[in-house]
């Protein structure tokens, strides 16, 4: 497909997509956002009450703590199930790594908070994943180093370079009188998986898409305004980025965007007044679409980034287009109340917007009634006016004021009938309707003092029914957006990690290589314990622990120490603590302890000490004997060496004597040899003496 044809197809999809400029869903979501913010309705009248009720905000702000506790109270929101006994350790490590990337390497708490609140207020919440690469170049300088110190520093960076942590781009060395001065140019590229919740107005979806999940959606786009500087920093062609038309702000974005950033008291600035050209904003669409780009008859998922009003495909700095095949849509979605066969369901804000409007009307009329009662309409007959005094007195607004008239009976006050009680009764009715719709009632809010006088059973039933509705919302969020998000993080780490990751898991730094992970589809999302049924579940766990203890003490095989530890782990998590091993030892991973030695008898210890002293004394005597024997052997060796020297001398004299004296000398040497054979202790000495008896070669 040619680039122009692809740009035309993308432009057509953008103009028809749900969430496009001035679409109906944008107007509806903008109105829901205004109701949450308590903005005026536009029907206010001068000199009348303009108060706005806050039912939408009250309900959302009550639901949010419960949902956040569900998804952030533990270390493991999502866990991957092992495929067999041999896969348990790998599944646990992958679970820890994925949760670590979301909550530690990213601001996971706020990302989850925004993701959930967008759905509760504006029907759908969206969260996006992407790889972010940051380059860093710096220079390490050293002065007055010895050769050994310089070699040690250089070896350290060589080791880091071999491990792929840094790249050495240059080394400048200068020798001075004081030592070695060096500059080492280093470079590194950090690649990190980022996660961020998206404003709903920035997400475009193919019209009439009928599923909450976006995995199979033919067209999904992330629309936003980006500065020219950001485009160049991301690696796009600078010349093209600077030639793109400037975004016209509100004209290019939706009504939702306008409402979000034009609140009361805000000071708006125009992009046209931006003096720095690099900070000029342009409109960018990052599109994920199914298209038959290679003309094989099968549409594949491609990521194409376009910018400007003409939807020009952006080019990288090397001239290639930002057009690549990808394996999925990196945007996860959820809706609190799904509607079958629709992408946008119903939000919690929608459940009470009509009640907020009714209560706003009741509040305004009730306050107007009170104002009118406190400032009654005054009637004075013309004949009763005392010149200018009566008018001046009427304009005074204070208790106990005096009104001067010509004659009594000419001044009358008209007060409206009291409607406060009727207004409060109507507002009580709307509160009951709100409780039935949302499950948020006065008993689980702790707002009604009279709830203490109601029966415990009735209050518990109301709380249970309300929490069931909330837990259903939590389960919907878990099975749609949260499940898709964590499975996507797992896939991104498998396919996008260029090297092993060093993560701090379970209190220790370990090296995890996602490239070795297996593809996993079996994953569970833990829906935590809300405050409404926490006590009930903690009571069940207490009973289970008591039963397990009884079976263990009785020697029954119905419970094992590992199962008891699991119960303690759930109990501690329910109490708000994250690590059960801070309180109990895990019998599965614990190292076996050495057997305890029996306590020694004091008298036995004294006997052992005396026996030890005797052993030391005996060892000393043995060592002394060995030293004496060694000295004697050295003395004998020295004597043998002296005899060898004398015999050699005798052999030389033998050559000058006759045979008779030679024979006599040999006989005397033999006698000495026999004597030495009785005293010598080593074979070496015997052989030396025998050699002395052997005449030298050529001796006659």
């Amino acid at each position: 497909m040619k680039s122009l044809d692809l740009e035309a197809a993308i432009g057509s999809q953008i103009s028809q997509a749900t969430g496009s400029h001035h679409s109906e869903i944008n107007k509806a979501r903008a109105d829901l956002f205004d109701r949450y913010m308590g903005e005026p309705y536009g029907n206010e009248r001068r000199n009348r009450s303009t108060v706005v009720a806050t039912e939408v905000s009250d309900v959302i702000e009550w639901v949010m703590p419960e949902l956040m506790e569900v998804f952030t109270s533990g270390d493991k929101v999502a866990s991957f199930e092992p495929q067999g006994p041999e896969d348990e350790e790998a599944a646990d490590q992958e679970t820890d790594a994925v949760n670590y990337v979301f909550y530690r390497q990213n601001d996971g708490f706020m990302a989850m908070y925004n993701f959930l609140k967008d759905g509760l207020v504006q029907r759908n919440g969206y969260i996006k994943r992407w790889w972010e690469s940051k380059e860093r170049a710096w220079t390490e300088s050293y002065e007055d180093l010895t050769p050994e110190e310089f070699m040690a520093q250089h070896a350290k960076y060589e080791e880091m370079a071999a491990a792929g942590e840094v790249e050495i781009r240059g080394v400048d060395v200068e020798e001075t009188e004081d030592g070695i001065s060096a500059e080492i140019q280093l470079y590194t590229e950090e690649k990190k998986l980022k996660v961020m919740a998206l404003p709903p107005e920035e997400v475009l979806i193919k019209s009439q898409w009928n599923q909450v999940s976006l995995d199979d959606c033919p067209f999904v786009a992330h629309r936003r305004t980006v500065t020219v500087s950001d485009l160049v920093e991301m690696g796009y062609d600078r010349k093209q980025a600077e030639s793109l038309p400037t975004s016209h702000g509100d004209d290019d974005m939706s009504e939702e965007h306008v409402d979000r950033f034009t609140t009361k008291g805000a000071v708006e600035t125009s992009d046209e007044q931006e003096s720095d050209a690099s900070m000029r904003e342009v409109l960018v669409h990052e599109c994920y679409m199914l298209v038959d780009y290679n003309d094989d008859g099968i549409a594949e998922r491609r990521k194409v980034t376009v910018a400007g009003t003409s939807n020009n495909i952006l080019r990288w700095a090397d001239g290639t287009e930002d057009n690549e095949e990808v394996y999925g849509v990196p945007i996860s979605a959820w809706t609190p109340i799904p509607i079958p066969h629709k992408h946008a369901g119903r939000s919690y804000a929608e459940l009470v917007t009509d009640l907020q409007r009714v209560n706003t009307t009741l509040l305004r009329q009730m306050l107007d009634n009170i104002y009118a009662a406190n400032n009654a309409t005054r009637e004075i007959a013309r004949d009763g006016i005392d010149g200018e005094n009566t008018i001046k007195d009427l304009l005074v607004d204070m208790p106990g004021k005096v009104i001067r008239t010509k004659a009594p009976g000419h001044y009358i006050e008209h007060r409206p009938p009291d409607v406060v009680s009727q207004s409060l009764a109507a507002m009580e009715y709307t509160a009951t309707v709100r409780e039935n719709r949302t499950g948020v009632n006065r008993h689980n809010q702790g707002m009604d003092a009279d709830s203490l006088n109601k029966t415990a059973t009735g209050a518990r039933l109301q709380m249970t029914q309300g929490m069931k509705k909330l837990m259903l919302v939590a389960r919907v969020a878990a099975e749609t957006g949260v499940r898709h998000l964590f499975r996507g993080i797992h896939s991104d780490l498998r396919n996008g990690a260029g090297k092993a990751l060093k993560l701090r898991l379970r209190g220790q730094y370990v090296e995890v290589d996602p490239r070795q992970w297996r593809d996993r589809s079996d994953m569970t999302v833990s829906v935590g314990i809300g405050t409404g049924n926490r006590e009930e579940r903690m009571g069940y766990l207490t009973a289970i622990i008591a039963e397990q203890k009884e079976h263990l003490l009785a020697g029954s095989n119905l419970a094992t120490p590992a199962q008891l530890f699991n119960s303690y782990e759930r109990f501690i998590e329910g109490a708000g603590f994250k690590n059960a091993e801070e309180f109990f030892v895990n019998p599965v991973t614990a190292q076996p302890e050495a057997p305890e030695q029996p306590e020694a008898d004091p008298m036995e210890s004294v006997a052992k000490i005396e026996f030890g002293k005797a052993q030391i004394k005996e060892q000393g005597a043995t060592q002394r004997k060995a030293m004496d024997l060694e000295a004697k052997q050295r003395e004998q060796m020295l004597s043998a060496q002296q005899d060898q020297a004398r015999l050699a001398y005798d052999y030389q004299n033998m050559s000058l004597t006759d045979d008779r004296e030679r024979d006599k000398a040999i006989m005397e040497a033999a006698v000495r040899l026999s004597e030495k054979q009785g005293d010598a202790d080593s074979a070496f000495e015997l052989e030396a003496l025998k050699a002395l008896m052997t005449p030298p070669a050529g001796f006659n």
Side-chain angles (χ1 to χ4, degrees), residues 48-303:
R48 295 294 180 91
S49 173
T50 59
V51 68
V52 177
T54 59
E55 266 69 20
V56 171
S57 176
D58 293 342
V59 169
I60 300 300
E61 296 306 321
W62 182 89
V63 172
M64 278 302 299
E66 296 294 321
L67 280 184
M68 289 302 294
E69 186 176 12
V70 165
F71 292 108
T72 62
S73 59
D75 285 336
K76 299 178 182 178
V77 176
S79 57
F80 295 96
E81 300 297 329
Q83 305 299 319
E86 73 286 349
D87 190 40
E88 289 187 2
E89 183 177 355
D92 289 342
Q93 187 185 74
E94 293 172 26
T95 297
D96 292 337
V98 170
N99 284 274
Y100 181 88
V101 168
F102 180 73
Y103 281 111
R104 302 289 183 84
Q105 290 191 343
N106 290 274
D107 191 358
F109 180 88
M110 288 308 302
M112 184 66 72
Y113 181 91
N114 295 332
F115 179 49
L116 296 175
K117 178 168 277 192
D118 282 338
L120 291 174
V121 177
Q122 297 177 281
R123 297 182 178 177
N124 290 98
Y126 301 98
I127 194 166
K128 181 185 176 183
R129 319 176 310 271
W130 76 97
W131 284 101
E132 182 179 81
S133 297
K134 287 189 176 181
E135 298 181 353
R136 181 191 173 202
W138 74 103
T139 301
E140 295 285 351
S141 301
Y142 302 97
E143 294 182 356
D144 303 336
L145 297 180
T146 64
E148 293 77 13
E149 291 174 339
F150 170 72
M151 293 302 297
Q153 290 291 341
H154 191 268
K156 180 182 71 173
Y157 290 115
E158 287 284 356
E159 183 178 351
M160 294 174 63
E165 298 178 6
V166 297
E167 177 184 339
I168 301 177
R169 292 195 166 181
V171 179
D172 297 329
V173 181
E174 181 181 356
E175 295 186 9
T176 63
E177 295 179 357
D178 298 327
I180 298 176
S181 297
E183 289 187 351
I184 304 177
Q185 290 84 35
L186 302 172
Y187 169 84
T188 184
E189 182 179 1
E190 184 182 14
K191 191 177 183 181
K192 184 179 292 187
L193 184 63
K194 303 291 290 184
V195 179
M196 183 182 68
L198 300 180
E201 67 268 16
E202 291 188 1
V203 180
L204 304 182
I205 301 170
K206 182 177 176 59
S207 61
Q208 299 183 354
W209 177 241
N210 60 1
Q211 298 179 25
V212 176
S213 173
L214 302 177
D215 272 344
D216 300 323
C217 185
F219 180 81
V220 181
H222 178 201
R223 173 182 55 190
R224 54 179 174 157
T225 55
V226 182
T227 65
V228 174
S229 173
D230 290 336
L231 289 175
V232 175
E233 186 178 4
M234 285 187 286
Y236 291 108
D237 181 69
R238 177 180 177 180
K239 185 176 181 181
Q240 183 189 25
E242 293 176 345
S243 66
L244 292 171
T246 302
S247 170
H248 295 289
D250 297 343
D251 293 337
D252 290 335
M253 302 303 288
S254 65
E255 186 177 346
E256 291 178 80
H257 180 84
V258 176
D259 287 352
R260 189 184 299 277
F261 294 103
T262 55
T263 56
K264 293 180 180 179
V267 179
E268 299 297 320
T269 59
S270 174
D271 292 332
E272 299 295 340
Q273 300 174 358
E274 185 62 60
S275 59
D276 187 355
S278 66
M279 298 305 295
R280 187 170 53 84
E281 291 188 340
V282 298
L283 186 65
V284 174
H285 289 83
E286 185 180 290
C287 306
Y288 297 86
M289 60 187 304
L290 291 174
V291 59
D292 184 14
Y293 184 76
N294 54 10
D295 196 23
D296 62 353
I298 300 175
E300 65 271 5
R301 178 76 64 183
R302 302 194 71 85
K303 174 215 169 194

Side-chain angles (χ1 to χ4, degrees), residues 9-28:
I10 291 174
S12 175
Q13 292 283 2
I14 290 175
S15 62
Q16 299 176 14
T18 299
S20 60
H21 195 43
H22 296 311
S23 66
E24 291 297 326
I25 192 171
N26 283 336
K27 295 179 181 179

Side-chain angles (χ1 to χ4, degrees), residues 386-443:
D386 183 14
E388 295 182 357
N389 293 328
T390 303
I391 303 300
K392 291 180 179 179
D393 294 343
L394 289 174
L395 294 176
V396 176
D397 187 11
M398 60 178 292
K401 65 182 178 179
V402 176
I403 300 177
R404 289 168 287 186
T405 60
K406 285 185 177 181
H410 289 80
Y411 174 74
I412 303 173
E413 287 189 350
H414 297 281
R415 300 182 182 275
D418 184 7
V419 297
V420 173
S421 57
Q422 292 89 335
S423 298
L424 291 176
M427 294 176 67
E428 177 67 22
Y429 169 75
T430 60
T432 303
V433 175
R434 182 196 66 192
E435 293 171 3
N436 293 334
R437 288 183 183 179
T438 64
V440 179
N441 58 68
R442 280 159 282 193
H443 306 296

Side-chain angles (χ1 to χ4, degrees), residues 79-83 91 95 483 487 519-525:
S79 57
F80 295 96
E81 300 297 329
Q83 305 299 319
T95 297
R483 174 187 288 273
R487 285 182 60 185
D519 185 17
R520 296 188 183 275
S521 58
D522 193 1
M523 186 191 75
T524 60
V525 179

Side-chain angles (χ1 to χ4, degrees), residues 265-523:
V267 179
E268 299 297 320
T269 59
S270 174
D271 292 332
E272 299 295 340
Q273 300 174 358
E274 185 62 60
S275 59
D276 187 355
S278 66
M279 298 305 295
R280 187 170 53 84
E281 291 188 340
V282 298
L283 186 65
V284 174
H285 289 83
E286 185 180 290
C287 306
Y288 297 86
M289 60 187 304
L290 291 174
V291 59
D292 184 14
Y293 184 76
N294 54 10
D295 196 23
D296 62 353
I298 300 175
E300 65 271 5
R301 178 76 64 183
R302 302 194 71 85
K303 174 215 169 194
V304 186
T305 305
V306 298
T309 55
S310 300
N311 299 314
N312 298 318
I313 299 177
L314 288 178
R315 296 188 303 272
W316 297 108
D318 60 3
T320 59
E321 293 182 342
D322 186 4
N323 176 11
E324 60 179 335
E325 186 172 355
V326 293
Y327 59 87
V329 178
I331 299 177
S332 304
W334 87 288
T335 185
I337 305 174
I339 298 177
H341 318 302
K342 289 190 66 176
H343 173 70
R346 299 192 68 191
S347 67
Y348 253 52
E350 283 185 280
L351 299 180
V352 292
T353 50
D354 58 335
L355 301 181
Q356 178 166 310
R357 193 178 189 94
V358 170
N359 280 347
T360 296
T361 302
L362 292 173
L363 272 174
R364 289 178 178 179
Q365 292 181 354
M366 182 177 66
L367 292 175
D368 287 342
N369 180 257
I370 296 174
Y371 296 153
N374 292 336
N375 298 273
T377 302
R378 302 175 180 92
E379 177 185 346
I380 300 178
R382 290 181 178 272
D383 296 340
I385 296 177
D386 183 14
E388 295 182 357
N389 293 328
T390 303
I391 303 300
K392 291 180 179 179
D393 294 343
L394 289 174
L395 294 176
V396 176
D397 187 11
M398 60 178 292
K401 65 182 178 179
V402 176
I403 300 177
R404 289 168 287 186
T405 60
K406 285 185 177 181
H410 289 80
Y411 174 74
I412 303 173
E413 287 189 350
H414 297 281
R415 300 182 182 275
D418 184 7
V419 297
V420 173
S421 57
Q422 292 89 335
S423 298
L424 291 176
M427 294 176 67
E428 177 67 22
Y429 169 75
T430 60
T432 303
V433 175
R434 182 196 66 192
E435 293 171 3
N436 293 334
R437 288 183 183 179
T438 64
V440 179
N441 58 68
R442 280 159 282 193
H443 306 296
N444 53 26
Q445 280 184 302
M447 295 174 60
D448 183 13
D450 294 334
S451 64
L452 298 176
N453 299 324
K454 294 181 171 62
T455 63
T457 302
R460 185 168 61 251
L461 288 175
Q462 291 185 25
M463 291 177 63
T464 301
Q465 292 300 320
M467 291 307 300
K468 283 183 177 179
K469 288 189 175 183
L470 182 59
M471 292 304 292
L472 177 59
V473 173
R475 176 53 64 186
V476 169
E479 296 298 331
T480 54
V482 177
R483 174 187 288 273
H484 185 271
L485 169 64
F486 280 84
R487 285 182 60 185
I489 294 175
H490 185 274
S491 297
D492 291 345
L493 291 175
R494 285 181 59 245
N495 298 308
K499 58 183 179 180
L501 306 175
K502 288 185 178 180
L503 308 176
R504 190 174 186 271
L505 303 177
R506 302 178 185 178
Q508 296 181 349
Y509 283 95
V510 297
E511 190 173 87
V512 178
D513 190 356
R515 294 168 296 182
Q516 305 299 324
W517 292 354
R518 64 189 301 174
D519 185 17
R520 296 188 183 275
S521 58
D522 193 1
M523 186 191 75

